[in-house]
Amino acid sequence: MEHISQLATKIRDTTASPDILVISRFFLPKEAVIGEYLYNRCLQDPEEVIVLAASCGGDKLFDQGQQFPIYRWPNLKYWLGNFLGSYLQPLFNLVATFFLAIKLYFRYHYRYIEWGHGYEFPSLLLLSYILPVRFFIYLHGNDLASAVGNPLWRSLFKLTLTRAEGIVCNSSLTQDYLQNTFRLQTPTHVIHPVIRPEKFGLGSNDNKLNELRNRLRQVYNIPQTAVVILSVGRLIKQKGFDRVIDNLPLLLTIGVDVHYIICGQGPCESQLKSLAERLRVDKRVHFAGYVANQELAGYYATCDIFAMLTLSNTKASQIEGSGIVFLEASYFGKPVIASRHASLIDIVRHEENGLLVNPKSGYEVLQAFKQLSQNQQLREQLGRQGKELAKRKTLHRSLYNN
C-alpha cells in the first residue's frame, strides 16, 4: 500500500496514465458488498484507475497484490477508540476525501471521478467546483435513502446528482427509487454486480466442485441422491428461513428425501432451531454458521436448489440489496426460488433461471419446491440458463461511450 505521506515525493515510474479516480469508504471485498462491486469495477480497467479509500483491517496485504495504486485515509477507531472514532469518522471521511482527491489530482491529473456510493457526497460536490474533472456517482440503495431524510441534505444531494456526468445504480429498484424521488435529466445507468470466481478460491474447476460436493454431503450425512436446499444470509426474520423449514415436512410427506443447509449467523438462529425441532425435521436442517467465501463454493456445489423467501419491505431504508447470493447460486448452475420482489427482477427471471413466488402464499411456495424437487431435468435446465445469465456483464467503460 502506498501511504498518503508519499504522495508529494514519490513519482510512479510507468507509462500508464490513469484517467479515473475511484473513491469509496469501502474497498476490500470481504468488508462489504459495495467493496466487492467496486473492486470488480477496477479489475475491468486496471491501467485506467487509481483508488482512494478508507483504511480497514487487512488492507495492506490486499493492496500490495493489486494492479492499480490504492491510497487510504486512516480509520479513526484505531486512534480514538470505537465510540469516539465511529462518531467522528463520517466527518473525517468527508474532509479526507476532499483534500486527498485534490492532492492526487496534482500527481495524476485524472479527468474523471467515480464516486463509489452516495455517502459523504458534499465532498464530491465541492470537488466538482474546484477540479477540472467530470464525475459519475454510484448508488446502491441505503446510501440514496439516507440522503433524502433531511431537507437541506436532500437539496445538496440533488444538486450533486444534477452536476454528475452520469448516475450508476446497482439495480433497477434503486434506479426506480431514484427517479421517483428526484426528477433529473442526468443520464442514469444500471450496472449489475458480477461474480468473480477468484472470490471463492477457484476457477471453473468442475472436478474440484464435485469433490467439495461429495465431502460436504458426507460431513452432514446427506445421501448423494437427496435433494439439498441451500440458503445464505444473515439469520433475521425478513429473510424467510422459517418458510423453507415449514415446507420440509410437506415435502417429506410426498416422498422427497430433502435436506436444508443454512449458511449464516444472526439473532433468529435459536428460533429457527426450535422450529425445526418442533416440526421434527431438526436432523434434516443443518446450520453451517458463518462460511468464508473460499468455503462457500462447496455449499453452492452441494445444493440442488437455492432458496431465499425474503419478505417485502417498502421502507426506503430497505431498498439496499441486489440479490448477490441469487446471482452466485446461478453462477454455480443452481436453480433458485425467490420472492416476487422488485429488488430481484434483475437477478431472478421466472421460469428462466428460477421460480418467483409470493412468500406469504403457502400454496405457491410448496408448489415451487415440489416442482423443482421432483423434476431433475427442470433443475438442470434452469441451472444452465442461470449460469449463462450470471456470466453476462456490462462493462463500466461503456459509461464513457455515451
Side-chain angles (χ1 to χ4, degrees):
M1 181 179 73
E2 298 184 71
H3 296 281
I4 293 299
S5 60
Q6 297 175 299
L7 285 174
T9 58
K10 185 175 178 182
I11 303 299
R12 191 175 179 214
D13 185 19
T14 177
T15 57
S17 180
D19 270 345
I20 304 165
L21 175 64
V22 177
I23 302 179
S24 175
R25 69 155 79 161
F26 311 104
F27 199 76
L28 191 62
K30 69 179 182 181
E31 286 288 310
V33 174
I34 292 177
E36 175 72 24
Y37 183 91
L38 293 175
Y39 181 54
N40 285 330
R41 182 273 168 273
C42 293
L43 289 178
Q44 291 182 11
D45 302 291
E47 295 183 355
E48 294 293 323
V49 302
I50 322 141
V51 175
L52 176 60
S55 297
C56 58
D59 59 10
K60 290 184 179 180
L61 183 62
F62 172 81
D63 294 352
Q64 289 170 358
Q66 305 312 314
Q67 307 170 56
F68 43 84
I70 302 175
Y71 301 91
R72 295 186 184 268
W73 66 85
N75 188 326
L76 292 186
K77 288 189 289 186
Y78 299 143
W79 295 354
L80 305 177
N82 283 329
F83 178 76
L84 186 58
S86 298
Y87 181 77
L88 294 176
Q89 190 68 49
L91 177 61
F92 186 74
N93 290 344
L94 194 155
V95 174
T97 52
F98 176 73
F99 285 105
L100 297 179
I102 293 175
K103 203 167 188 179
L104 283 169
Y105 175 78
F106 286 107
R107 176 174 180 180
Y108 289 101
H109 299 286
Y110 55 82
R111 296 189 298 162
Y112 298 93
I113 292 175
E114 291 186 17
W115 193 266
H117 41 65
Y119 303 116
E120 291 92 38
F121 69 87
S123 176
L124 176 63
L125 180 59
L126 289 173
L127 288 169
S128 73
Y129 284 102
I130 293 174
L131 295 179
V133 300
R134 292 179 286 177
F135 71 88
F136 295 89
I137 184 169
Y138 290 71
L139 299 175
H140 304 267
N142 283 350
D143 52 352
L144 169 58
S146 66
V148 301
N150 181 286
L152 175 60
W153 218 239
R154 180 190 178 109
S155 297
L156 290 174
F157 190 59
K158 183 175 183 179
L159 176 60
T160 305
L161 298 177
T162 302
R163 290 181 58 80
E165 186 79 5
I167 303 168
V168 180
C169 299
N170 71 337
S171 70
S172 296
L173 177 64
T174 303
Q175 183 186 49
D176 291 343
Y177 182 72
L178 170 69
Q179 293 174 344
N180 291 333
T181 304
F182 302 102
R183 301 299 179 183
L184 301 169
Q185 300 299 317
T186 308
T188 305
H189 315 266
V190 175
I191 300 182
H192 303 129
V194 297
I195 301 302
R196 179 171 51 90
E198 295 79 11
K199 171 183 176 180
F200 302 101
L202 49 85
S204 57
N205 190 331
D206 291 335
N207 291 331
K208 184 175 181 180
L209 289 176
N210 287 332
E211 291 175 6
L212 291 172
R213 176 186 184 278
N214 294 335
R215 182 176 63 81
L216 277 177
R217 287 198 174 222
Q218 289 176 358
V219 167
Y220 291 109
N221 195 28
I222 300 174
Q224 295 297 324
T225 56
V227 173
V228 175
I229 302 169
L230 174 70
S231 296
V232 178
R234 180 165 166 75
L235 306 189
I236 56 176
K237 182 69 176 176
Q238 185 188 349
K239 297 291 185 180
F241 299 101
D242 55 336
R243 283 164 172 73
V244 181
I245 295 175
D246 284 339
N247 278 272
L248 299 183
L250 301 174
L251 292 172
L252 290 169
T253 299
I254 62 175
V256 178
D257 184 8
V258 63
H259 285 254
Y260 181 33
I261 300 178
I262 302 174
C263 295
Q265 297 174 320
C268 287
E269 182 171 345
S270 60
Q271 298 174 24
L272 294 172
K273 287 181 176 178
S274 297
L275 175 62
E277 291 175 0
R278 189 164 65 251
L279 297 178
R280 298 182 180 179
V281 291
D282 49 301
K283 302 298 183 184
R284 292 175 176 270
V285 180
H286 312 281
F287 292 85
Y290 169 76
V291 178
N293 288 330
Q294 290 80 1
E295 300 174 8
L296 196 54
Y299 285 87
Y300 283 124
T302 298
C303 78
D304 299 286
I305 302 168
F306 183 85
M308 292 285 287
L309 300 175
T310 307
L311 296 174
S312 299
N313 192 324
T314 57
K315 293 181 180 179
S317 62
Q318 297 298 329
I319 65 172
E320 184 79 54
S322 54
I324 189 67
V325 290
F326 294 100
L327 192 64
E328 290 175 351
S330 291
Y331 181 85
F332 284 94
K334 305 301 176 177
V336 303
I337 297 177
S339 300
R340 196 177 292 109
H341 187 263
S343 64
L344 299 177
I345 60 175
D346 299 327
I347 305 296
V348 183
R349 302 183 184 180
H350 187 59
E351 296 183 343
E352 186 171 352
N353 65 328
L355 301 177
L356 293 171
V357 299
N358 176 359
K360 297 181 180 180
S361 170
Y363 176 79
E364 276 193 41
V365 173
L366 177 59
Q367 290 304 307
F369 278 120
K370 180 180 176 182
Q371 186 177 5
L372 288 184
S373 296
Q374 296 181 329
N375 192 334
Q376 181 178 351
Q377 184 177 355
L378 178 60
R379 294 200 304 267
E380 292 174 350
Q381 176 187 335
L382 296 179
R384 284 193 304 271
Q385 294 171 172
K387 193 166 187 176
E388 290 301 315
L389 287 173
K391 288 182 177 180
R392 298 178 187 175
K393 61 182 178 181
T394 301
L395 297 178
H396 289 255
R397 68 177 68 102
S398 65
L399 297 172
Y400 299 89
N401 298 329
N402 296 319

